[in-house]
Amino acid sequence: QVQLVESGGGLVQAGGSLRLSCAASGRTFSKNAMGWFRQAPGKERELVAAVRWSGGLTYYADSVKGRFTISRDNAKNTVYLQMNSLKPEDTAAYYCAARSKIASLSSESYDYWGQGTQVTVSS
């Protein structure tokens, strides 16, 4: 069993910043990549950013490029999402995910999921 626990969501004004954290624990597994998804009410789930666990190669959705930064701490088994210049359209539930299989960073196929954390950006 692998657990992913997100933290750091909340309410922020437009233009503000938040940092999300996702800690992985449980049965040791070989992580190929970890990613952050988001889903707003009435919309499809969207891959926001992903990071290759070995080497740190990253992927970003066009909607967040230049504003969001994904990073990982191998020693802490934790991945972060720094979100700057937040916009009301960034409002969504954000989910952390991890996978062991090899796939492109833009792939949305993940094995393990966190419970989600809400991010609300007011205008």
Short mmCIF file of all heavy atoms in Angstrom, two decimals, residues 23-62:
data_model
loop_
_atom_site.label_atom_id
_atom_site.label_comp_id
_atom_site.label_asym_id
_atom_site.label_seq_id
_atom_site.Cartn_x
_atom_site.Cartn_y
_atom_site.Cartn_z
N ALA A 23 3.54 14.11 0.30
CA ALA A 23 4.47 13.17 0.90
C ALA A 23 4.04 11.74 0.57
O ALA A 23 2.88 11.37 0.79
CB ALA A 23 4.52 13.37 2.41
N ALA A 24 4.98 10.95 0.07
CA ALA A 24 4.72 9.55 -0.25
C ALA A 24 5.24 8.66 0.87
O ALA A 24 6.34 8.87 1.38
CB ALA A 24 5.39 9.18 -1.56
N SER A 25 4.44 7.66 1.25
CA SER A 25 4.87 6.74 2.30
C SER A 25 4.25 5.37 2.05
O SER A 25 3.42 5.21 1.16
CB SER A 25 4.46 7.26 3.68
OG SER A 25 3.06 7.35 3.77
N GLY A 26 4.65 4.41 2.86
CA GLY A 26 4.09 3.08 2.74
C GLY A 26 5.07 2.13 2.07
O GLY A 26 6.28 2.31 2.14
N ARG A 27 4.52 1.15 1.38
CA ARG A 27 5.35 0.15 0.71
C ARG A 27 6.30 0.82 -0.26
O ARG A 27 5.91 1.65 -1.06
CB ARG A 27 4.46 -0.84 -0.02
CG ARG A 27 5.21 -1.96 -0.72
CD ARG A 27 4.21 -2.93 -1.36
NE ARG A 27 3.43 -2.31 -2.40
CZ ARG A 27 3.80 -2.19 -3.66
NH1 ARG A 27 4.98 -2.61 -4.02
NH2 ARG A 27 3.02 -1.61 -4.55
N THR A 28 7.56 0.44 -0.18
CA THR A 28 8.54 1.04 -1.07
C THR A 28 8.20 0.71 -2.52
O THR A 28 7.90 -0.42 -2.85
CB THR A 28 9.94 0.52 -0.74
OG1 THR A 28 10.25 0.86 0.61
CG2 THR A 28 10.96 1.15 -1.66
N PHE A 29 8.21 1.67 -3.36
CA PHE A 29 7.98 1.41 -4.76
C PHE A 29 8.93 2.27 -5.58
O PHE A 29 9.39 3.30 -5.13
CB PHE A 29 6.53 1.67 -5.16
CG PHE A 29 6.13 3.12 -5.16
CD1 PHE A 29 5.95 3.81 -6.34
CD2 PHE A 29 5.93 3.81 -3.96
CE1 PHE A 29 5.58 5.14 -6.33
CE2 PHE A 29 5.57 5.13 -3.94
CZ PHE A 29 5.39 5.81 -5.13
N SER A 30 9.18 1.80 -6.77
CA SER A 30 10.10 2.53 -7.63
C SER A 30 9.31 3.60 -8.37
O SER A 30 8.46 3.31 -9.20
CB SER A 30 10.74 1.58 -8.64
OG SER A 30 11.55 2.28 -9.55
N LYS A 31 9.58 4.85 -8.04
CA LYS A 31 8.85 5.93 -8.65
C LYS A 31 9.49 6.35 -9.96
O LYS A 31 10.66 6.68 -10.00
CB LYS A 31 8.79 7.14 -7.70
CG LYS A 31 8.00 6.88 -6.43
CD LYS A 31 7.93 8.12 -5.55
CE LYS A 31 9.29 8.43 -4.94
NZ LYS A 31 9.73 7.39 -4.02
N ASN A 32 8.72 6.33 -11.02
CA ASN A 32 9.21 6.86 -12.28
C ASN A 32 8.93 8.35 -12.35
O ASN A 32 9.78 9.14 -12.77
CB ASN A 32 8.56 6.15 -13.44
CG ASN A 32 8.84 6.83 -14.77
OD1 ASN A 32 8.05 7.59 -15.29
ND2 ASN A 32 10.04 6.58 -15.30
N ALA A 33 7.72 8.73 -11.93
CA ALA A 33 7.35 10.14 -11.99
C ALA A 33 6.28 10.43 -10.96
O ALA A 33 5.57 9.54 -10.49
CB ALA A 33 6.83 10.49 -13.39
N MET A 34 6.16 11.70 -10.61
CA MET A 34 5.06 12.18 -9.78
C MET A 34 4.47 13.40 -10.46
O MET A 34 5.18 14.16 -11.12
CB MET A 34 5.53 12.51 -8.37
CG MET A 34 5.95 11.27 -7.59
SD MET A 34 6.31 11.56 -5.86
CE MET A 34 4.66 11.82 -5.19
N GLY A 35 3.18 13.56 -10.27
CA GLY A 35 2.51 14.66 -10.95
C GLY A 35 1.46 15.32 -10.09
O GLY A 35 1.05 14.77 -9.06
N TRP A 36 1.06 16.50 -10.52
CA TRP A 36 -0.05 17.22 -9.89
C TRP A 36 -1.15 17.38 -10.94
O TRP A 36 -0.89 17.85 -12.05
CB TRP A 36 0.39 18.59 -9.40
CG TRP A 36 1.22 18.56 -8.17
CD1 TRP A 36 2.58 18.59 -8.08
CD2 TRP A 36 0.73 18.47 -6.82
NE1 TRP A 36 2.98 18.54 -6.77
CE2 TRP A 36 1.87 18.48 -5.98
CE3 TRP A 36 -0.53 18.41 -6.24
CZ2 TRP A 36 1.76 18.41 -4.58
CZ3 TRP A 36 -0.64 18.35 -4.87
CH2 TRP A 36 0.49 18.35 -4.06
N PHE A 37 -2.35 16.99 -10.55
CA PHE A 37 -3.54 17.17 -11.38
C PHE A 37 -4.46 18.16 -10.67
O PHE A 37 -4.33 18.40 -9.47
CB PHE A 37 -4.30 15.84 -11.54
CG PHE A 37 -3.62 14.84 -12.41
CD1 PHE A 37 -2.53 14.11 -11.96
CD2 PHE A 37 -4.08 14.60 -13.70
CE1 PHE A 37 -1.91 13.17 -12.77
CE2 PHE A 37 -3.48 13.66 -14.52
CZ PHE A 37 -2.39 12.95 -14.05
N ARG A 38 -5.40 18.69 -11.43
CA ARG A 38 -6.45 19.50 -10.81
C ARG A 38 -7.77 19.23 -11.52
O ARG A 38 -7.80 18.85 -12.69
CB ARG A 38 -6.12 20.99 -10.84
CG ARG A 38 -6.10 21.63 -12.23
CD ARG A 38 -5.65 23.08 -12.13
NE ARG A 38 -5.62 23.74 -13.44
CZ ARG A 38 -5.12 24.95 -13.64
NH1 ARG A 38 -4.59 25.64 -12.62
NH2 ARG A 38 -5.12 25.48 -14.84
N GLN A 39 -8.84 19.44 -10.77
CA GLN A 39 -10.17 19.27 -11.34
C GLN A 39 -11.10 20.31 -10.74
O GLN A 39 -11.29 20.34 -9.51
CB GLN A 39 -10.71 17.87 -11.11
CG GLN A 39 -12.02 17.61 -11.84
CD GLN A 39 -12.37 16.14 -11.89
OE1 GLN A 39 -11.92 15.33 -11.09
NE2 GLN A 39 -13.16 15.76 -12.88
N ALA A 40 -11.65 21.13 -11.59
CA ALA A 40 -12.63 22.13 -11.18
C ALA A 40 -14.02 21.57 -11.40
O ALA A 40 -14.21 20.69 -12.25
CB ALA A 40 -12.43 23.42 -11.98
N PRO A 41 -15.02 22.05 -10.66
CA PRO A 41 -16.39 21.56 -10.83
C PRO A 41 -16.85 21.67 -12.28
O PRO A 41 -16.70 22.72 -12.91
CB PRO A 41 -17.20 22.47 -9.91
CG PRO A 41 -16.24 22.90 -8.87
CD PRO A 41 -14.91 23.04 -9.59
N GLY A 42 -17.37 20.57 -12.81
CA GLY A 42 -17.89 20.58 -14.17
C GLY A 42 -16.84 20.48 -15.25
O GLY A 42 -17.16 20.54 -16.44
N LYS A 43 -15.57 20.35 -14.85
CA LYS A 43 -14.49 20.25 -15.84
C LYS A 43 -13.76 18.93 -15.72
O LYS A 43 -13.82 18.27 -14.68
CB LYS A 43 -13.52 21.42 -15.68
CG LYS A 43 -14.12 22.78 -15.98
CD LYS A 43 -13.05 23.85 -16.01
CE LYS A 43 -13.64 25.20 -16.40
NZ LYS A 43 -12.60 26.26 -16.47
N GLU A 44 -13.05 18.57 -16.78
CA GLU A 44 -12.28 17.33 -16.74
C GLU A 44 -11.00 17.53 -15.93
O GLU A 44 -10.49 18.64 -15.81
CB GLU A 44 -11.93 16.89 -18.17
CG GLU A 44 -13.13 16.44 -18.98
CD GLU A 44 -12.72 15.79 -20.28
OE1 GLU A 44 -11.52 15.76 -20.59
OE2 GLU A 44 -13.62 15.32 -21.00
N ARG A 45 -10.51 16.42 -15.41
CA ARG A 45 -9.24 16.46 -14.70
C ARG A 45 -8.12 16.83 -15.66
O ARG A 45 -8.09 16.37 -16.80
CB ARG A 45 -8.97 15.08 -14.09
CG ARG A 45 -7.77 15.03 -13.17
CD ARG A 45 -7.61 13.64 -12.62
NE ARG A 45 -7.33 12.69 -13.68
CZ ARG A 45 -7.41 11.37 -13.52
NH1 ARG A 45 -7.79 10.88 -12.36
NH2 ARG A 45 -7.11 10.56 -14.51
N GLU A 46 -7.20 17.66 -15.18
CA GLU A 46 -6.12 18.18 -16.02
C GLU A 46 -4.77 17.92 -15.35
O GLU A 46 -4.61 18.19 -14.16
CB GLU A 46 -6.32 19.69 -16.20
CG GLU A 46 -5.19 20.42 -16.89
CD GLU A 46 -5.31 21.93 -16.85
OE1 GLU A 46 -6.02 22.46 -15.96
OE2 GLU A 46 -4.71 22.60 -17.70
N LEU A 47 -3.82 17.41 -16.12
CA LEU A 47 -2.45 17.27 -15.62
C LEU A 47 -1.81 18.65 -15.64
O LEU A 47 -1.69 19.26 -16.70
CB LEU A 47 -1.65 16.29 -16.48
CG LEU A 47 -0.17 16.15 -16.14
CD1 LEU A 47 0.03 15.64 -14.71
CD2 LEU A 47 0.51 15.24 -17.14
N VAL A 48 -1.40 19.13 -14.49
CA VAL A 48 -0.85 20.46 -14.36
C VAL A 48 0.67 20.44 -14.51
O VAL A 48 1.25 21.26 -15.24
CB VAL A 48 -1.23 21.07 -12.99
CG1 VAL A 48 -0.52 22.39 -12.77
CG2 VAL A 48 -2.73 21.23 -12.89
N ALA A 49 1.32 19.51 -13.83
CA ALA A 49 2.78 19.45 -13.86
C ALA A 49 3.22 18.05 -13.46
O ALA A 49 2.51 17.36 -12.74
CB ALA A 49 3.40 20.47 -12.90
N ALA A 50 4.39 17.65 -13.94
CA ALA A 50 4.94 16.35 -13.58
C ALA A 50 6.45 16.45 -13.51
O ALA A 50 7.06 17.33 -14.14
CB ALA A 50 4.53 15.29 -14.59
N VAL A 51 7.04 15.56 -12.74
CA VAL A 51 8.50 15.55 -12.60
C VAL A 51 9.00 14.12 -12.62
O VAL A 51 8.41 13.23 -12.01
CB VAL A 51 8.94 16.27 -11.29
CG1 VAL A 51 8.37 15.60 -10.04
CG2 VAL A 51 10.45 16.38 -11.20
N ARG A 52 10.06 13.89 -13.39
CA ARG A 52 10.70 12.59 -13.41
C ARG A 52 11.47 12.45 -12.10
O ARG A 52 12.24 13.35 -11.75
CB ARG A 52 11.67 12.50 -14.59
CG ARG A 52 12.23 11.12 -14.82
CD ARG A 52 11.28 10.25 -15.60
NE ARG A 52 11.14 10.68 -16.98
CZ ARG A 52 10.15 10.32 -17.78
NH1 ARG A 52 9.18 9.55 -17.32
NH2 ARG A 52 10.11 10.74 -19.02
N TRP A 53 11.26 11.33 -11.38
CA TRP A 53 11.87 11.21 -10.07
C TRP A 53 13.40 11.17 -10.15
O TRP A 53 14.10 11.76 -9.33
CB TRP A 53 11.35 9.96 -9.36
CG TRP A 53 11.58 10.01 -7.90
CD1 TRP A 53 12.48 9.30 -7.18
CD2 TRP A 53 10.90 10.86 -6.97
NE1 TRP A 53 12.42 9.67 -5.86
CE2 TRP A 53 11.47 10.61 -5.70
CE3 TRP A 53 9.90 11.82 -7.09
CZ2 TRP A 53 11.04 11.28 -4.55
CZ3 TRP A 53 9.48 12.49 -5.94
CH2 TRP A 53 10.04 12.22 -4.70
N SER A 54 13.90 10.50 -11.17
CA SER A 54 15.35 10.44 -11.36
C SER A 54 15.75 11.45 -12.43
O SER A 54 15.30 11.37 -13.56
CB SER A 54 15.76 9.03 -11.81
OG SER A 54 17.13 8.99 -12.14
N GLY A 55 16.51 12.43 -12.06
CA GLY A 55 16.96 13.42 -13.02
C GLY A 55 16.21 14.72 -12.96
O GLY A 55 16.74 15.77 -13.33
N GLY A 56 14.94 14.67 -12.52
CA GLY A 56 14.21 15.91 -12.30
C GLY A 56 13.61 16.56 -13.52
O GLY A 56 13.17 17.71 -13.46
N LEU A 57 13.56 15.87 -14.66
CA LEU A 57 12.93 16.44 -15.85
C LEU A 57 11.49 16.80 -15.54
O LEU A 57 10.81 16.07 -14.83
CB LEU A 57 12.99 15.43 -16.99
CG LEU A 57 12.64 15.92 -18.39
CD1 LEU A 57 13.68 16.93 -18.87
CD2 LEU A 57 12.54 14.76 -19.36
N THR A 58 11.03 17.95 -16.06
CA THR A 58 9.69 18.42 -15.71
C THR A 58 8.81 18.63 -16.93
O THR A 58 9.29 18.78 -18.05
CB THR A 58 9.76 19.74 -14.93
OG1 THR A 58 10.48 20.71 -15.71
CG2 THR A 58 10.45 19.56 -13.59
N TYR A 59 7.50 18.64 -16.67
CA TYR A 59 6.48 18.93 -17.69
C TYR A 59 5.49 19.90 -17.06
O TYR A 59 5.16 19.77 -15.86
CB TYR A 59 5.76 17.64 -18.09
CG TYR A 59 4.43 17.90 -18.77
CD1 TYR A 59 4.35 18.11 -20.14
CD2 TYR A 59 3.25 17.96 -18.03
CE1 TYR A 59 3.14 18.37 -20.76
CE2 TYR A 59 2.03 18.22 -18.63
CZ TYR A 59 1.98 18.43 -20.00
OH TYR A 59 0.79 18.69 -20.60
N TYR A 60 5.00 20.84 -17.86
CA TYR A 60 3.98 21.78 -17.40
C TYR A 60 2.90 21.93 -18.46
O TYR A 60 3.19 21.98 -19.65
CB TYR A 60 4.57 23.17 -17.11
CG TYR A 60 5.56 23.18 -15.98
CD1 TYR A 60 6.92 23.10 -16.23
CD2 TYR A 60 5.13 23.26 -14.67
CE1 TYR A 60 7.84 23.10 -15.20
CE2 TYR A 60 6.04 23.26 -13.62
CZ TYR A 60 7.39 23.17 -13.90
OH TYR A 60 8.29 23.17 -12.87
N ALA A 61 1.67 22.03 -18.00
CA ALA A 61 0.58 22.39 -18.90
C ALA A 61 0.78 23.84 -19.33
O ALA A 61 1.32 24.66 -18.58
CB ALA A 61 -0.77 22.24 -18.19
N ASP A 62 0.35 24.17 -20.55
CA ASP A 62 0.52 25.53 -21.06
C ASP A 62 -0.12 26.57 -20.15
O ASP A 62 0.37 27.68 -20.02
CB ASP A 62 -0.08 25.63 -22.47
CG ASP A 62 0.75 24.91 -23.51
OD1 ASP A 62 1.93 24.61 -23.23
OD2 ASP A 62 0.22 24.62 -24.59
#
